[in-house]
């Protein structure tokens, strides 16, 4: 999953997949190569040992989160946001008082960067930091910067400073293509924010955007909130599968892989039981998005959200989803028949196929057909081995090496966070990846990529290095073994690292279009492409070794694992079609013709085929409605693009350096 701060007119967009020679070497001609540090260490070993050293540094200077001095304490967010807002005011005054020219675009980008550097960082901290004070301070910073951004997006004087540039044909012709494109993107975002409206309507647009931001934060937090039920209402023998507090059993997820049908059923019905507050929040979020879209001149929120994407409009998206659903339908029916048959075999007394069944029983079928019991594979997929596998792949494909670097005191929010330096063979240091990989209390369960700082070419000729966080939920190492990954965890790791490499390598002059700041229906292409590498035996055999014996994962086991991915693949994809369609309907014509739950039921039965379970409301756990509102189809469209790239460039040779540097770009 890609998480990024989206800032309307001063937000984030993007350019290339990975830049290859054109991106790295084109910019590199004017940038000094970053020297290699002697403090870096091999990446594989760093992830198979517990971090050491920071706790012994009792008297060292505390640098602050991500090395930002102000963020050594929660109060620092107020200082950081005040500094950013003060700088923004100065930049606005400067650009509005100068004649139009290329410098106009540079100042717009600097303005965007000064706000994004606080907002992006705070957006991560507000959900991931273990200390409540930091989370609350970060949330307030997000709201403050977000409000400022929406005001700037409707600032007529600021808009006119850019309009003067784009209205002058001679000036436009003098701009290089990248600068012209960035100027057009800034203008486009002004327009969809309602800059053309009168003063009162612009004020209303700002109010709606701020309200949507607040509702989004509230809804997102609610998607992960556990439900509880009195112990006596559940059979005693399944209590041990959940956390128990006093007289209540706490259900914090779907437990989709649990072998006991009753455990999965209970988790599904209780975790998805409707919460009135969350339901009201979702209804208000969808309604306010629709009001904003209509205010600025669009018939639906989906029409507004899809401006500037590959799909362009919701009609194209729905045509794509319906065609895909038609192509999948026969295979999906066969998959469900196969899953139903396995359930009947293992549980003949209760063989009706329900929504909580496919993840577990499809796994049983894979294990039985291909003998791929996850416990047989985990010893070969230690976290260190998988990280070394990524390192090998990036070195062969892109000339990039990952090195572990010791964070300074206060730089990370949890002592098990690792810091990686990304180093190119000729360009030197490209940026940093903070790896927040391990489970902890109150940490969101989703695997995500966060942009902390975008790359850009600064006025002094140096390149502002990108900084990102990868957040996973892996088990900690034990006394007897390092962290061991299931095949699914390994694939997720490769997926998220695809986002990180996109951020590192998508080097542009302007941070507004750097890395993953791109159309959402393209942003998942690099990450999904990485899944193909994770499922290719030629890649897996490079790193999969038993953590105790050093034995390589046998080729036949790798082949069986890769073949098993095809089992029930149609049903898995059909589920994604259902989610994407639901997202489009929610963001389509308003007022909605019925409740969000009734729409869920109808859409599930039409586009998935398994029955809706009464008194459940899966949509209230659909966190992607916040960051991917009207754009959830992006996963499916990006998968289609990634499939074409794989077949054209890497199917014959997954280590094809020429293809990685030329064919992508």
């Amino acid at each position: 999953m890609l998480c990024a701060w989206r800032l309307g007119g001063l937000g984030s967009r993007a350019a290339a997949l990975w830049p290859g020679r054109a991106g790295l070497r084109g910019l590199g001609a004017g940038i000094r190569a970053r020297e290699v540090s002697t403090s870096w260490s091999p990446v594989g070993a760093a992830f198979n040992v517990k971090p050491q050293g920071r706790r012994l540094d009792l008297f060292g200077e505390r640098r602050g989160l991500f090395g930002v001095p102000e963020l050594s304490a929660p109060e620092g967010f107020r200082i950081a946001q005040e500094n950013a807002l003060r700088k923004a005011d100065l930049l606005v005054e400067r650009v509005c008082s100068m004649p139009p020219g290329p410098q106009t675009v540079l100042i717009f980008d600097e303005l965007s960067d000064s706000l994004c550097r606080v907002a992006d960082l705070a957006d991560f901290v507000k959900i991931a930091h273990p200390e409540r004070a930091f989370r609350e301070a970060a949330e307030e910073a997000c709201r403050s910067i977000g409000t400022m951004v929406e005001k700037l997006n409707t600032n007529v004087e600021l808009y006119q400073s850019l309009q003067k540039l784009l209205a002058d044909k001679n000036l436009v012709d003098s701009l290089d293509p990248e600068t012209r494109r960035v100027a057009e993107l800034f203008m486009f975002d002004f327009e969809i924010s309602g800059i053309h409206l009168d003063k009162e309507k612009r004020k209303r647009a700002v109010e709606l955007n701020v309200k949507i931001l607040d509702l989004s934060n509230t809804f997102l937090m609610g998607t992960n909130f556990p439900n509880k039920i009195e112990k006596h209402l559940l059979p005693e023998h399944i209590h041990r599968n959940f956390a128990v507090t006093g007289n209540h059993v706490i259900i914090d997820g779907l437990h989709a892989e649990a072998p006991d049908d009753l455990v999965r059923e209970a988790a599904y019905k209780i975790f998805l039981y409707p919460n009135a507050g969350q339901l009201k929040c979702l209804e208000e979020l969808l309604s306010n998005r629709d009001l904003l879209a209509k205010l600025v001149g669009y018939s639906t929120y989906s029409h507004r959200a899809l401006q500037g994407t590959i799909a362009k409009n919701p009609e194209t998206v729905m045509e794509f989803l319906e065609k895909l659903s038609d192509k999948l339908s026969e295979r999906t029916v066969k998959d469900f028949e196969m899953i139903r048959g396995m359930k009947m075999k293992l549980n003949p007394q209760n063989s009706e196929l329900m929504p909580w069944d496919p993840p577990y029983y499809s796994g049983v079928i894979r294990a039985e057909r291909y003998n791929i019991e996850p416990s047989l594979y985990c010893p070969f997929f230690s976290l260190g081995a998988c990280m070394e596998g990524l390192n090998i792949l990036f070195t062969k494909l892109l000339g990039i090496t990952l090195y572990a670097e010791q964070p300074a005191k206060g730089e990370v929010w949890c002592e098990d966070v690792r810091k990686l330096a990304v180093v190119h063979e000729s360009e030197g240091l490209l940026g940093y990846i903070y790896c927040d990989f391990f489970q902890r209390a109150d940490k969101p369960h989703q695997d995500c990529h966060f942009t902390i700082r975008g790359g850009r070419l600064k006025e002094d000729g140096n390149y502002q290095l990108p900084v990102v966080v990868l957040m996973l939920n892996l088990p900690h190492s034990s006394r007897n073994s390092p962290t061991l990954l299931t095949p699914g965890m390994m694939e997720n790791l490769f997926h998220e690292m695809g986002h990180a490499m996109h951020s590192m390598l998508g080097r542009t002059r302007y941070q507004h279009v750097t890395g993953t700041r791109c159309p959402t229906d393209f942003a998942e292409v690099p990450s999904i492409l990485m899944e193909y590498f994770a499922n290719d035996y030629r890649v897996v055999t490079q790193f999969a070794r038993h953590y105790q014996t050093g034995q390589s994962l046998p080729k036949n086991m790798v082949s069986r694992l890769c073949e098993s991915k095809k089992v029930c693949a149609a049903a898995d994809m059909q589920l994604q079609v259902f989610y994407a369609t639901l997202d489009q309907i929610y963001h389509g014509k308003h007022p909605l013709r019925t409740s969000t739950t009734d729409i869920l039921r109808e859409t599930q039965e039409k586009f998935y085929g398994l029955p809706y379970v009464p008194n459940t409301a899966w949509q209230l756990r659909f966190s992607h409605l916040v960051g991917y509102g009207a754009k959830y189809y992006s996963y499916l469209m990006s998968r289609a693009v990634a499939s074409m790239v794989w077949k054209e460039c890497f199917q014959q040779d997954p280590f094809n350096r020429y293809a990685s540097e030329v064919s992508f770009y």
Side-chain angles (χ1 to χ4, degrees):
M1 173 184 176
L2 177 67
C3 288
W5 183 260
R6 314 303 292 180
L7 292 176
L10 295 169
S12 27
R13 303 232 166 239
L17 180 58
W18 293 336
R21 284 181 241 185
L24 284 175
R25 296 171 195 173
L27 269 180
I31 305 175
R32 292 194 305 274
R34 302 273 180 158
E35 295 182 0
V36 174
S37 169
T38 56
S39 67
W40 290 336
S41 58
V43 68
F47 281 86
N48 271 355
V49 296
K50 291 187 176 181
Q52 298 176 355
R54 288 196 297 276
R55 285 177 294 176
L56 301 178
D57 183 14
L58 300 178
F59 306 104
E61 181 182 358
R62 190 175 178 87
R63 288 182 57 184
L65 291 172
F66 299 102
V68 178
E70 297 91 340
L71 299 185
S72 58
E75 297 75 22
F77 272 105
R78 180 180 53 80
I79 298 171
Q81 76 188 41
E82 288 175 354
N83 289 341
L85 295 175
R86 193 177 303 114
K87 183 177 181 180
D89 286 337
L90 292 173
L91 289 169
V92 169
E93 182 179 347
R94 180 181 168 194
V95 77
C96 290
S97 61
M98 63 184 287
Q103 192 69 14
T104 303
V105 184
L106 288 172
I107 295 174
F108 263 78
D109 193 64
E110 187 177 357
L111 175 58
S112 175
D113 181 63
S114 66
L115 296 171
C116 284
R117 287 178 65 170
V118 178
D120 286 339
L121 193 157
D123 205 39
F124 167 72
V125 172
K126 76 179 183 183
I127 69 164
H129 202 287
E131 296 180 28
R132 177 188 287 259
F134 268 101
R135 295 196 301 269
E136 291 177 347
E139 185 167 351
E140 178 55 35
C142 280
R143 194 177 194 282
S144 175
I145 297 292
T147 301
M148 176 63 162
V149 165
E150 298 307 337
K151 289 179 179 178
L152 292 176
N153 285 345
T154 54
N155 183 315
V156 175
E157 190 178 5
L158 184 63
Y159 162 74
Q160 288 174 342
S161 70
L162 186 64
Q163 187 184 45
K164 290 175 185 176
L165 171 64
L166 292 174
D168 189 320
K169 186 178 184 303
N170 290 332
L171 281 177
V172 171
D173 290 344
S174 71
L175 300 178
D176 63 83
E178 184 180 8
T179 301
R180 183 189 306 180
R181 178 59 179 156
V182 171
E184 291 169 348
L185 287 172
F186 277 122
M187 179 58 72
F188 167 76
D189 284 338
F190 271 123
E191 291 166 350
I192 69 168
S193 296
I195 195 66
H196 55 286
L197 302 174
D198 62 39
K199 183 177 179 179
E200 286 303 311
K201 288 182 178 178
R202 290 198 306 273
K203 182 181 177 182
R204 175 62 174 154
V206 172
E207 292 171 350
L208 282 170
N209 270 306
V210 172
K211 188 172 183 181
I212 288 167
L213 179 63
D214 290 340
L215 288 166
S216 295
N217 288 334
T218 302
F219 181 78
L220 194 59
M221 300 302 285
T223 59
N224 290 308
F225 199 77
N227 277 342
K228 63 182 180 180
I229 188 172
E230 293 181 13
K231 285 196 298 187
H232 73 272
L233 296 175
L234 287 181
E236 187 173 350
H237 73 276
I238 70 170
H239 289 183
R240 66 179 183 275
N241 293 277
F242 310 109
V244 177
T245 303
N247 291 322
H248 289 89
V249 174
I250 309 300
I251 313 293
D252 62 356
L254 293 175
H255 293 254
E257 306 297 332
D260 189 326
D261 285 4
L262 189 56
V263 170
R264 296 195 312 279
E265 179 180 355
Y268 189 95
K269 290 181 175 179
I270 297 168
F271 189 64
L272 299 185
Y273 189 80
N275 176 285
Q278 182 77 341
L279 182 60
K280 185 173 185 291
C281 181
L282 175 60
E283 290 170 347
E284 289 187 11
L285 175 60
L286 297 177
S287 175
N288 279 275
R289 282 177 169 174
D290 181 70
L291 289 173
L292 175 63
K294 288 187 170 69
L295 179 65
V296 299
Y298 294 91
S299 58
T300 70
Y301 180 80
S302 187
H303 281 90
R304 178 179 183 268
L306 295 178
Q307 292 293 304
T309 63
I310 296 172
K312 293 185 171 50
N313 57 65
E315 291 78 18
T316 300
V317 172
M318 284 307 301
E319 182 180 1
F320 168 71
L321 293 174
E322 287 169 357
K323 284 184 177 179
L324 181 56
S325 185
D326 288 343
K327 286 183 177 295
L328 289 170
S329 60
E330 288 187 16
R331 290 168 52 202
T332 300
V333 169
K334 290 179 181 178
D335 284 353
F336 283 153
E337 288 174 354
M338 183 166 53
I339 295 170
R340 188 177 290 106
M342 179 57 72
K343 183 175 184 180
M344 186 177 296
K345 175 181 175 182
L346 298 181
N347 188 4
Q349 291 81 25
N350 184 19
S351 59
E352 182 184 4
L353 193 60
M354 299 300 291
W356 53 80
D357 289 327
Y360 172 70
Y361 285 110
S362 60
V364 172
I365 294 168
R366 292 185 189 104
E368 183 180 89
R369 183 175 296 182
Y370 293 100
N371 189 23
I372 56 157
E373 172 59 40
S375 62
L376 298 176
Y377 285 83
C378 290
F380 294 91
F381 291 143
S382 71
L383 178 56
C386 294
M387 292 303 297
E388 190 54 44
L390 286 162
N391 200 33
I392 292 168
L393 180 63
F394 294 148
T395 300
K396 291 186 175 185
L397 276 182
L398 301 162
I400 279 175
T401 304
L402 305 175
Y403 292 99
E405 180 175 308
Q406 184 73 12
K409 182 180 180 182
E411 186 177 351
V412 296
W413 48 100
C414 189
E415 68 173 20
D416 58 19
V417 174
R418 268 57 160 203
K419 180 182 180 183
L420 298 183
V422 181
V423 183
H424 188 265
E425 60 190 11
S426 61
E427 297 298 322
L429 180 62
L430 298 183
Y432 290 104
I433 303 170
Y434 289 83
C435 300
D436 186 356
F437 281 177
F438 301 103
Q439 298 167 348
R440 63 174 176 269
D442 298 325
K443 181 179 178 181
H445 292 298
Q446 288 183 322
D447 296 342
C448 301
H449 162 281
F450 294 85
T451 296
I452 302 300
R453 184 177 71 200
R456 70 183 181 105
L457 186 60
K458 298 191 290 186
E459 288 187 30
D460 62 6
N462 287 316
Y463 198 78
Q464 176 174 291
L465 297 180
V467 176
V468 304
V469 173
L470 294 188
M471 188 168 74
L472 306 177
N473 280 274
L474 303 178
H476 287 273
S477 59
S478 67
R479 179 177 300 178
N480 300 318
S481 71
T483 294
L484 302 178
L485 277 60
T486 65
M489 291 175 182
M490 183 270 285
E491 184 179 285
N492 284 350
L493 171 62
F494 271 62
H495 176 103
E496 298 303 333
M497 193 59 78
H499 285 311
M501 282 298 107
H502 193 179
S503 292
M504 295 297 109
L505 294 168
R507 287 158 66 92
T508 56
R509 186 185 314 173
Y510 302 100
Q511 73 85 35
H512 192 63
V513 292
T514 191
T516 58
R517 302 192 193 280
C518 61
T520 310
D521 50 7
F522 183 80
E524 295 292 334
V525 172
S527 54
I528 292 173
L529 183 62
M530 284 297 294
E531 294 177 21
Y532 283 89
F533 288 100
N535 289 302
D536 188 282
Y537 74 90
R538 295 163 294 183
V539 175
V540 175
T541 52
Q542 295 284 315
F543 67 88
R545 286 175 173 75
H546 198 285
Y547 76 97
Q548 290 176 315
T549 66
Q551 174 195 355
S552 295
L553 183 63
K555 183 176 178 180
N556 68 329
M557 287 183 67
V558 179
S559 299
R560 292 202 309 268
L561 178 62
C562 295
E563 282 298 308
S564 73
K565 302 286 184 179
K566 301 173 184 176
V567 174
C568 300
D572 291 342
M573 188 171 287
Q574 189 71 56
L575 181 63
Q576 297 301 311
V577 172
F578 156 48
Y579 293 161
T581 305
L582 184 68
D583 174 42
Q584 286 299 308
I585 296 172
Y586 282 167
H587 291 100
K589 186 177 180 180
H590 275 245
L592 297 175
R593 53 186 171 72
T594 184
S595 70
T596 59
T597 302
D598 284 343
I599 291 171
L600 170 77
R601 175 180 53 78
E602 294 170 6
T603 309
Q604 178 172 329
E605 291 173 357
K606 179 178 178 181
F607 283 92
Y608 189 42
L610 295 188
Y612 164 76
V613 179
N615 295 315
T616 63
W618 178 85
Q619 77 275 20
L620 304 184
R621 301 292 185 177
F622 194 5
S623 59
H624 286 77
L625 288 174
V626 173
Y628 281 68
K631 297 178 182 179
Y632 191 81
Y633 75 93
S634 299
Y635 286 99
L636 292 165
M637 190 165 283
S638 290
R639 188 165 295 280
V641 175
S643 174
M644 289 188 290
V645 173
W646 174 260
K647 290 174 182 175
E648 288 291 324
C649 302
F650 300 108
Q651 194 166 48
Q652 293 300 315
D653 177 9
F655 303 109
N656 187 335
R657 178 76 178 262
Y658 177 80
S660 72
E661 291 192 334
V662 178
S663 300
F664 279 23
Y665 320 114

